[in-house]
Amino acid sequence: MSCFLCNSSVGKKLVMSVSGCVLVLFILFHMSMNLTAIFSPEAYNTICSLLGANWYALVATAGLAAIVALHFIYAIVLTLNNYRARGSQRYEVTVKERGVSWASKNMLVLGFIVVGGLALHLFNFWAKMQLVELTGSHVNSLGYAPTDGATLIAYTFSQWYYVLIYLVWFAALWFHLTHGVWSMFQTAGWANDTWYPRLKCIANIVATIVFLGFAAVVAIYFAKSLCPCCAGAC
């Protein structure tokens, strides 16, 4: 079984699909959690406390990190294998292939952007929350409690350059998901002439929900930083 997953192209794609499915579910959970910060910063901070340096949160964090690494490594391996398999044919393509989206042909590039955004996100939030709790400190480098996620969100997205970077990151994630979501079902053998267009539609819906959910948090907190009245000061 391990040889199949490591040496077979189908096995590698299966690993990509399963790991991708787990990551999509996590992204939807994380988006839902972040939306809580819009309606109730106190409720969001309660969630942050539950997902801090508790043993179950640490196990989940370690598992998620392993899945991200596995997904990214297999993506690179599959891309290199496809590149070698095409050989000189890649220089002979002069017309756009029908039915092939831009996202599907640039998944690795999009993946690098997504991973880059993830690294920045870890620096802005994980390193100032869960990591701070692990060190035993009661405040992070900004002087906030590590469980005060709402204040950290407000601080981060009061800065226009972070707003811009995160929106670009979400856009890359949107493109990545529009191809990745239906592709994982296709790899599992669930796509056919009937379900193929349906799965592509579902992928677009999921990607759009994720983009709008994350972008809403960024936009609303940025608006609050510009207008104190939006934050309920008036």
Side-chain angles (χ1 to χ4, degrees):
M1 183 64 176
S2 60
C3 292
F4 169 73
L5 296 178
C6 295
N7 301 327
S8 166
S9 176
V10 175
K12 293 172 185 174
K13 290 180 179 179
L14 183 60
V15 171
M16 284 286 292
S17 297
V18 173
S19 60
C21 181
V22 173
L23 294 176
V24 169
L25 292 175
F26 170 76
I27 288 171
L28 288 170
F29 163 75
H30 193 35
M31 178 207 69
S32 301
M33 184 182 77
N34 284 7
L35 286 174
T36 305
I38 297 176
F39 305 102
S40 175
E42 294 78 13
Y44 179 74
N45 286 346
T46 298
I47 297 174
C48 291
S49 298
L50 294 173
L51 298 178
N54 302 304
W55 70 268
Y56 51 84
L58 295 176
V59 170
T61 300
L64 187 65
I67 292 173
V68 170
L70 187 69
H71 191 76
F72 190 63
I73 290 171
Y74 268 70
I76 293 176
V77 171
L78 280 170
T79 300
L80 291 175
N81 288 346
N82 292 337
Y83 187 82
R84 285 193 292 263
R86 287 197 303 268
S88 60
Q89 292 181 1
R90 60 180 176 270
Y91 301 110
E92 300 171 3
V93 178
T94 57
V95 296
K96 182 179 179 181
E97 301 169 73
R98 295 185 60 184
V100 178
S101 68
W102 179 87
S104 67
K105 299 181 70 174
N106 294 276
M107 286 296 280
L108 188 62
V109 175
L110 291 169
F112 274 109
I113 297 174
V114 171
V115 170
L118 176 60
L120 177 64
H121 189 60
L122 291 174
F123 169 77
N124 281 334
F125 290 93
W126 178 78
K128 294 179 177 64
M129 298 178 74
Q130 191 178 70
L131 181 61
V132 171
E133 285 193 74
L134 287 173
T135 63
S137 177
H138 298 294
V139 294
N140 56 34
S141 59
L142 298 174
Y144 306 144
T147 56
D148 191 359
T151 300
L152 188 55
I153 288 177
Y155 168 79
T156 303
F157 299 126
S158 66
Q159 303 172 74
W160 68 268
Y161 49 88
Y162 276 138
V163 173
L164 181 60
I165 292 172
Y166 270 78
L167 290 178
V168 170
W169 181 32
F170 299 151
L173 184 61
W174 183 89
F175 280 109
H176 197 75
L177 291 177
T178 56
H179 175 73
V181 170
W182 73 259
S183 181
M184 66 187 185
F185 288 108
Q186 183 185 48
T187 301
W190 292 353
N192 51 43
D193 291 341
T194 300
W195 274 96
Y196 180 80
R198 295 176 182 176
L199 291 174
K200 295 207 71 169
C201 180
I202 291 172
N204 288 335
I205 292 173
V206 170
T208 302
I209 290 174
V210 168
F211 176 84
L212 292 178
F214 281 123
V217 177
V218 173
I220 289 173
Y221 269 86
F222 181 60
K224 287 181 177 181
S225 72
L226 297 177
C227 177
C229 294
C230 297
C234 295

